[in-house]
Amino acid sequence: MLKIVRVTSRLDRKEFTDLPESLYRDYPLWVPPFSHEMKALLKSRGSQLLANGPHVFFIAKDDNEVKGRIAVGIEQVMNNEKSVKHAYFTLFESVDDREVAEALLRTAESWARNKGMNYLKGPVSPTNGDDYRGLLVDNFDDPPAVLMPYNPPYYASFFDSFEIYLKYLGFQYDLANVISEREIKFTEIAMDRYKFRVEEANFRRIREVSADLQKIMEESIPNWEEDILPPTYDELYDMAKTLKLVADRRMVIIARSGERPIGFFVALPDFSPIIREIEGRLLPFGWYKFLRLRKSLERARAAILFVVPDYRNKGVPSAMFLRAYRNIQNMGFKEIEGSSISSMNLTMIANARRAGGKEYKHYIVYGKSLLKRPLSLSEIYGPAASRYVPKGQRNSERVLERI
């Protein structure tokens, strides 16, 4: 008999963590998470999302066999900032059985409703990154880049009763055809006209780099942006220290006007083939393979791009792209996978296409009212509500577009 069990014991945590190994046995492109990071999440460590409010983990069991899992929680800091009453779910996995998936989702809905929330959304990322953020809904044949979602195609069918909350676009770049001569000329003119420069990050001055990134993000993230808050200095310092370990300084570019930091771009090698080979385990011998094979990688991942508002249409993104792409090409990479971009972010979508990006994957974050009525746009999107208009109803999904 199917039952939903709250994760409380060491055995429960192990079953939660181990489920994907059997679930993805027939999906050779799946990239397992690092086992030590997943174990930390199950102990509520290493995640600002989990630190910002109550959360629980559940597993679905049938005759003591684990069939699915889900985590549900409340991001209280985000809710207070956006004036909404949202719960989230993350780390969702399920066998191809609608009964299992619906039981897990009903459990998440009930928990959130009992906490006084009026909306459930997900899947979201437990690390506030791209990993687990949204379901992949198409193009299951191209390998996922590192820290990008990947799931069985049947997952989307479990969310028929949900709305589309957010949609993200994935871009791919062929380094042999990135950035036209016309765009290069435009970039050179823009740098001269608007008096800015681009440079590689100096990892020997990591605290100053962290402070620069914080200034850029505080200016760059508008208060209406969905589900994003500027990180603290400590969070960015931790991120910068990680970048120093996994990225090359030639792949981390900062733009400046005088001494003012106005933008930054971060790329890193796509480690997914190596992570797949070591099965997400760095110990005892995974580190050796990781270091030995990293020079064989042919794809890079463009992970982060922020530009302050007054420089977004002045060639800054293109200038950082150009500097990074030339470095990445000289380092022997053949291709770049772009970080997913919100369908709301028309400026960044235009920049991606201008830089030669090919839109090739899509990810959906779903949402559902927990009340016995549809929610208003303000209840769903908070300060971003004015940027949406309903276009109609279809199969219980609210179809939205940016004004």
Side-chain angles (χ1 to χ4, degrees), residues 350-372:
N351 285 332
R353 288 175 175 153
R354 190 161 54 236
K358 172 188 173 185
E359 183 180 333
Y360 85 126
K361 287 187 179 182
H362 301 90
Y363 310 87
I364 301 295
V365 178
Y366 294 93
K368 186 175 186 178
S369 171
L370 299 174
L371 305 181
K372 294 181 179 180

PDB file of all heavy atoms in Angstrom, residues 350-372:
ATOM      1  N   ALA A 350      17.333  39.064 -25.801  1.00  0.00           N
ATOM      2  CA  ALA A 350      17.837  39.747 -26.999  1.00  0.00           C
ATOM      3  C   ALA A 350      19.364  39.708 -27.041  1.00  0.00           C
ATOM      4  O   ALA A 350      19.962  39.490 -28.096  1.00  0.00           O
ATOM      5  CB  ALA A 350      17.336  41.191 -27.028  1.00  0.00           C
ATOM      6  N   ASN A 351      20.006  39.914 -25.879  1.00  0.00           N
ATOM      7  CA  ASN A 351      21.470  39.854 -25.820  1.00  0.00           C
ATOM      8  C   ASN A 351      21.985  38.462 -26.174  1.00  0.00           C
ATOM      9  O   ASN A 351      22.998  38.310 -26.869  1.00  0.00           O
ATOM     10  CB  ASN A 351      21.959  40.243 -24.424  1.00  0.00           C
ATOM     11  CG  ASN A 351      21.870  41.737 -24.166  1.00  0.00           C
ATOM     12  OD1 ASN A 351      21.955  42.537 -25.091  1.00  0.00           O
ATOM     13  ND2 ASN A 351      21.683  42.109 -22.912  1.00  0.00           N
ATOM     14  N   ALA A 352      21.285  37.429 -25.688  1.00  0.00           N
ATOM     15  CA  ALA A 352      21.703  36.054 -25.970  1.00  0.00           C
ATOM     16  C   ALA A 352      21.625  35.769 -27.467  1.00  0.00           C
ATOM     17  O   ALA A 352      22.527  35.158 -28.047  1.00  0.00           O
ATOM     18  CB  ALA A 352      20.834  35.074 -25.195  1.00  0.00           C
ATOM     19  N   ARG A 353      20.562  36.211 -28.096  1.00  0.00           N
ATOM     20  CA  ARG A 353      20.418  35.964 -29.533  1.00  0.00           C
ATOM     21  C   ARG A 353      21.420  36.773 -30.339  1.00  0.00           C
ATOM     22  O   ARG A 353      21.957  36.295 -31.337  1.00  0.00           O
ATOM     23  CB  ARG A 353      18.984  36.285 -29.954  1.00  0.00           C
ATOM     24  CG  ARG A 353      17.981  35.251 -29.441  1.00  0.00           C
ATOM     25  CD  ARG A 353      16.557  35.615 -29.747  1.00  0.00           C
ATOM     26  NE  ARG A 353      15.665  34.526 -29.346  1.00  0.00           N
ATOM     27  CZ  ARG A 353      14.395  34.687 -28.993  1.00  0.00           C
ATOM     28  NH1 ARG A 353      13.867  35.896 -28.975  1.00  0.00           N
ATOM     29  NH2 ARG A 353      13.656  33.646 -28.645  1.00  0.00           N
ATOM     30  N   ARG A 354      21.686  37.995 -29.898  1.00  0.00           N
ATOM     31  CA  ARG A 354      22.644  38.830 -30.607  1.00  0.00           C
ATOM     32  C   ARG A 354      24.049  38.234 -30.531  1.00  0.00           C
ATOM     33  O   ARG A 354      24.869  38.409 -31.439  1.00  0.00           O
ATOM     34  CB  ARG A 354      22.628  40.246 -30.028  1.00  0.00           C
ATOM     35  CG  ARG A 354      23.432  41.259 -30.862  1.00  0.00           C
ATOM     36  CD  ARG A 354      23.042  42.693 -30.569  1.00  0.00           C
ATOM     37  NE  ARG A 354      23.120  43.003 -29.153  1.00  0.00           N
ATOM     38  CZ  ARG A 354      22.103  43.474 -28.432  1.00  0.00           C
ATOM     39  NH1 ARG A 354      20.925  43.669 -28.991  1.00  0.00           N
ATOM     40  NH2 ARG A 354      22.257  43.757 -27.164  1.00  0.00           N
ATOM     41  N   ALA A 355      24.317  37.510 -29.433  1.00  0.00           N
ATOM     42  CA  ALA A 355      25.625  36.880 -29.264  1.00  0.00           C
ATOM     43  C   ALA A 355      25.710  35.528 -29.961  1.00  0.00           C
ATOM     44  O   ALA A 355      26.700  34.807 -29.792  1.00  0.00           O
ATOM     45  CB  ALA A 355      25.931  36.715 -27.776  1.00  0.00           C
ATOM     46  N   GLY A 356      24.705  35.185 -30.744  1.00  0.00           N
ATOM     47  CA  GLY A 356      24.740  33.933 -31.494  1.00  0.00           C
ATOM     48  C   GLY A 356      24.079  32.766 -30.801  1.00  0.00           C
ATOM     49  O   GLY A 356      24.226  31.619 -31.222  1.00  0.00           O
ATOM     50  N   GLY A 357      23.331  33.032 -29.710  1.00  0.00           N
ATOM     51  CA  GLY A 357      22.689  31.963 -28.967  1.00  0.00           C
ATOM     52  C   GLY A 357      21.535  31.327 -29.720  1.00  0.00           C
ATOM     53  O   GLY A 357      20.742  32.018 -30.360  1.00  0.00           O
ATOM     54  N   LYS A 358      21.450  30.028 -29.647  1.00  0.00           N
ATOM     55  CA  LYS A 358      20.351  29.262 -30.237  1.00  0.00           C
ATOM     56  C   LYS A 358      19.464  28.748 -29.107  1.00  0.00           C
ATOM     57  O   LYS A 358      19.899  28.016 -28.239  1.00  0.00           O
ATOM     58  CB  LYS A 358      20.907  28.080 -31.039  1.00  0.00           C
ATOM     59  CG  LYS A 358      19.852  27.115 -31.543  1.00  0.00           C
ATOM     60  CD  LYS A 358      20.508  25.887 -32.151  1.00  0.00           C
ATOM     61  CE  LYS A 358      19.468  24.835 -32.515  1.00  0.00           C
ATOM     62  NZ  LYS A 358      20.116  23.578 -33.010  1.00  0.00           N
ATOM     63  N   GLU A 359      18.194  29.170 -29.117  1.00  0.00           N
ATOM     64  CA  GLU A 359      17.243  28.721 -28.098  1.00  0.00           C
ATOM     65  C   GLU A 359      16.943  27.241 -28.329  1.00  0.00           C
ATOM     66  O   GLU A 359      16.425  26.868 -29.368  1.00  0.00           O
ATOM     67  CB  GLU A 359      15.970  29.556 -28.206  1.00  0.00           C
ATOM     68  CG  GLU A 359      14.928  29.258 -27.169  1.00  0.00           C
ATOM     69  CD  GLU A 359      13.694  30.131 -27.345  1.00  0.00           C
ATOM     70  OE1 GLU A 359      13.825  31.262 -27.883  1.00  0.00           O
ATOM     71  OE2 GLU A 359      12.599  29.684 -26.968  1.00  0.00           O
ATOM     72  N   TYR A 360      17.269  26.390 -27.343  1.00  0.00           N
ATOM     73  CA  TYR A 360      17.155  24.962 -27.623  1.00  0.00           C
ATOM     74  C   TYR A 360      16.549  24.127 -26.508  1.00  0.00           C
ATOM     75  O   TYR A 360      16.292  22.941 -26.694  1.00  0.00           O
ATOM     76  CB  TYR A 360      18.525  24.409 -28.019  1.00  0.00           C
ATOM     77  CG  TYR A 360      19.441  23.997 -26.891  1.00  0.00           C
ATOM     78  CD1 TYR A 360      20.001  22.714 -26.860  1.00  0.00           C
ATOM     79  CD2 TYR A 360      19.765  24.864 -25.853  1.00  0.00           C
ATOM     80  CE1 TYR A 360      20.850  22.321 -25.841  1.00  0.00           C
ATOM     81  CE2 TYR A 360      20.612  24.479 -24.838  1.00  0.00           C
ATOM     82  CZ  TYR A 360      21.162  23.201 -24.835  1.00  0.00           C
ATOM     83  OH  TYR A 360      22.002  22.807 -23.822  1.00  0.00           O
ATOM     84  N   LYS A 361      16.284  24.721 -25.333  1.00  0.00           N
ATOM     85  CA  LYS A 361      15.629  23.993 -24.258  1.00  0.00           C
ATOM     86  C   LYS A 361      14.715  24.936 -23.481  1.00  0.00           C
ATOM     87  O   LYS A 361      14.932  26.158 -23.470  1.00  0.00           O
ATOM     88  CB  LYS A 361      16.653  23.382 -23.290  1.00  0.00           C
ATOM     89  CG  LYS A 361      17.409  22.181 -23.840  1.00  0.00           C
ATOM     90  CD  LYS A 361      18.270  21.545 -22.764  1.00  0.00           C
ATOM     91  CE  LYS A 361      19.016  20.328 -23.318  1.00  0.00           C
ATOM     92  NZ  LYS A 361      19.823  19.653 -22.280  1.00  0.00           N
ATOM     93  N   HIS A 362      13.715  24.348 -22.819  1.00  0.00           N
ATOM     94  CA  HIS A 362      12.783  25.139 -22.024  1.00  0.00           C
ATOM     95  C   HIS A 362      12.497  24.424 -20.704  1.00  0.00           C
ATOM     96  O   HIS A 362      12.413  23.196 -20.654  1.00  0.00           O
ATOM     97  CB  HIS A 362      11.481  25.364 -22.794  1.00  0.00           C
ATOM     98  CG  HIS A 362      11.689  26.077 -24.094  1.00  0.00           C
ATOM     99  ND1 HIS A 362      11.944  25.403 -25.277  1.00  0.00           N
ATOM    100  CD2 HIS A 362      11.724  27.402 -24.400  1.00  0.00           C
ATOM    101  CE1 HIS A 362      12.118  26.282 -26.248  1.00  0.00           C
ATOM    102  NE2 HIS A 362      11.996  27.487 -25.747  1.00  0.00           N
ATOM    103  N   TYR A 363      12.337  25.237 -19.658  1.00  0.00           N
ATOM    104  CA  TYR A 363      12.107  24.727 -18.314  1.00  0.00           C
ATOM    105  C   TYR A 363      10.906  25.458 -17.718  1.00  0.00           C
ATOM    106  O   TYR A 363      10.764  26.675 -17.894  1.00  0.00           O
ATOM    107  CB  TYR A 363      13.333  24.960 -17.418  1.00  0.00           C
ATOM    108  CG  TYR A 363      14.637  24.492 -18.028  1.00  0.00           C
ATOM    109  CD1 TYR A 363      15.387  25.324 -18.859  1.00  0.00           C
ATOM    110  CD2 TYR A 363      15.130  23.211 -17.779  1.00  0.00           C
ATOM    111  CE1 TYR A 363      16.575  24.904 -19.421  1.00  0.00           C
ATOM    112  CE2 TYR A 363      16.317  22.780 -18.334  1.00  0.00           C
ATOM    113  CZ  TYR A 363      17.035  23.628 -19.153  1.00  0.00           C
ATOM    114  OH  TYR A 363      18.214  23.194 -19.722  1.00  0.00           O
ATOM    115  N   ILE A 364      10.042  24.718 -17.013  1.00  0.00           N
ATOM    116  CA  ILE A 364       8.829  25.292 -16.449  1.00  0.00           C
ATOM    117  C   ILE A 364       8.827  25.146 -14.930  1.00  0.00           C
ATOM    118  O   ILE A 364       9.071  24.064 -14.392  1.00  0.00           O
ATOM    119  CB  ILE A 364       7.561  24.604 -17.009  1.00  0.00           C
ATOM    120  CG1 ILE A 364       7.489  24.728 -18.542  1.00  0.00           C
ATOM    121  CG2 ILE A 364       6.305  25.189 -16.358  1.00  0.00           C
ATOM    122  CD1 ILE A 364       7.319  26.130 -19.048  1.00  0.00           C
ATOM    123  N   VAL A 365       8.549  26.260 -14.239  1.00  0.00           N
ATOM    124  CA  VAL A 365       8.232  26.234 -12.822  1.00  0.00           C
ATOM    125  C   VAL A 365       6.713  26.352 -12.717  1.00  0.00           C
ATOM    126  O   VAL A 365       6.125  27.302 -13.245  1.00  0.00           O
ATOM    127  CB  VAL A 365       8.906  27.384 -12.054  1.00  0.00           C
ATOM    128  CG1 VAL A 365       8.511  27.346 -10.569  1.00  0.00           C
ATOM    129  CG2 VAL A 365      10.416  27.318 -12.197  1.00  0.00           C
ATOM    130  N   TYR A 366       6.080  25.378 -12.064  1.00  0.00           N
ATOM    131  CA  TYR A 366       4.623  25.336 -11.984  1.00  0.00           C
ATOM    132  C   TYR A 366       4.136  25.973 -10.694  1.00  0.00           C
ATOM    133  O   TYR A 366       4.882  26.110  -9.717  1.00  0.00           O
ATOM    134  CB  TYR A 366       4.140  23.885 -12.056  1.00  0.00           C
ATOM    135  CG  TYR A 366       4.409  23.232 -13.385  1.00  0.00           C
ATOM    136  CD1 TYR A 366       5.574  22.503 -13.607  1.00  0.00           C
ATOM    137  CD2 TYR A 366       3.501  23.352 -14.436  1.00  0.00           C
ATOM    138  CE1 TYR A 366       5.832  21.901 -14.829  1.00  0.00           C
ATOM    139  CE2 TYR A 366       3.742  22.759 -15.668  1.00  0.00           C
ATOM    140  CZ  TYR A 366       4.920  22.035 -15.851  1.00  0.00           C
ATOM    141  OH  TYR A 366       5.168  21.449 -17.071  1.00  0.00           O
ATOM    142  N   GLY A 367       2.865  26.372 -10.693  1.00  0.00           N
ATOM    143  CA  GLY A 367       2.264  26.952  -9.505  1.00  0.00           C
ATOM    144  C   GLY A 367       0.806  26.560  -9.380  1.00  0.00           C
ATOM    145  O   GLY A 367       0.154  26.218 -10.372  1.00  0.00           O
ATOM    146  N   LYS A 368       0.290  26.621  -8.152  1.00  0.00           N
ATOM    147  CA  LYS A 368      -1.092  26.219  -7.915  1.00  0.00           C
ATOM    148  C   LYS A 368      -1.664  26.961  -6.713  1.00  0.00           C
ATOM    149  O   LYS A 368      -1.013  27.066  -5.668  1.00  0.00           O
ATOM    150  CB  LYS A 368      -1.160  24.709  -7.656  1.00  0.00           C
ATOM    151  CG  LYS A 368      -2.564  24.153  -7.529  1.00  0.00           C
ATOM    152  CD  LYS A 368      -2.521  22.642  -7.388  1.00  0.00           C
ATOM    153  CE  LYS A 368      -3.907  22.032  -7.409  1.00  0.00           C
ATOM    154  NZ  LYS A 368      -3.855  20.550  -7.313  1.00  0.00           N
ATOM    155  N   SER A 369      -2.888  27.467  -6.866  1.00  0.00           N
ATOM    156  CA  SER A 369      -3.579  28.099  -5.745  1.00  0.00           C
ATOM    157  C   SER A 369      -3.909  27.045  -4.696  1.00  0.00           C
ATOM    158  O   SER A 369      -4.345  25.939  -5.010  1.00  0.00           O
ATOM    159  CB  SER A 369      -4.864  28.769  -6.234  1.00  0.00           C
ATOM    160  OG  SER A 369      -5.641  29.198  -5.128  1.00  0.00           O
ATOM    161  N   LEU A 370      -3.730  27.404  -3.430  1.00  0.00           N
ATOM    162  CA  LEU A 370      -4.085  26.529  -2.323  1.00  0.00           C
ATOM    163  C   LEU A 370      -5.425  26.919  -1.713  1.00  0.00           C
ATOM    164  O   LEU A 370      -5.864  26.317  -0.730  1.00  0.00           O
ATOM    165  CB  LEU A 370      -2.990  26.568  -1.252  1.00  0.00           C
ATOM    166  CG  LEU A 370      -1.602  26.092  -1.716  1.00  0.00           C
ATOM    167  CD1 LEU A 370      -0.574  26.313  -0.618  1.00  0.00           C
ATOM    168  CD2 LEU A 370      -1.635  24.635  -2.132  1.00  0.00           C
ATOM    169  N   LEU A 371      -6.053  27.922  -2.290  1.00  0.00           N
ATOM    170  CA  LEU A 371      -7.364  28.370  -1.839  1.00  0.00           C
ATOM    171  C   LEU A 371      -8.439  27.838  -2.778  1.00  0.00           C
ATOM    172  O   LEU A 371      -8.140  27.283  -3.837  1.00  0.00           O
ATOM    173  CB  LEU A 371      -7.411  29.904  -1.792  1.00  0.00           C
ATOM    174  CG  LEU A 371      -6.312  30.586  -0.958  1.00  0.00           C
ATOM    175  CD1 LEU A 371      -6.509  32.098  -0.979  1.00  0.00           C
ATOM    176  CD2 LEU A 371      -6.300  30.066   0.465  1.00  0.00           C
ATOM    177  N   LYS A 372      -9.688  28.034  -2.418  1.00  0.00           N
ATOM    178  CA  LYS A 372     -10.800  27.553  -3.244  1.00  0.00           C
ATOM    179  C   LYS A 372     -11.213  28.604  -4.267  1.00  0.00           C
ATOM    180  O   LYS A 372     -12.383  28.722  -4.631  1.00  0.00           O
ATOM    181  CB  LYS A 372     -11.987  27.178  -2.362  1.00  0.00           C
ATOM    182  CG  LYS A 372     -11.713  25.984  -1.458  1.00  0.00           C
ATOM    183  CD  LYS A 372     -12.930  25.633  -0.606  1.00  0.00           C
ATOM    184  CE  LYS A 372     -12.641  24.420   0.272  1.00  0.00           C
ATOM    185  NZ  LYS A 372     -13.811  24.058   1.129  1.00  0.00           N
TER     186      LYS A 372
END
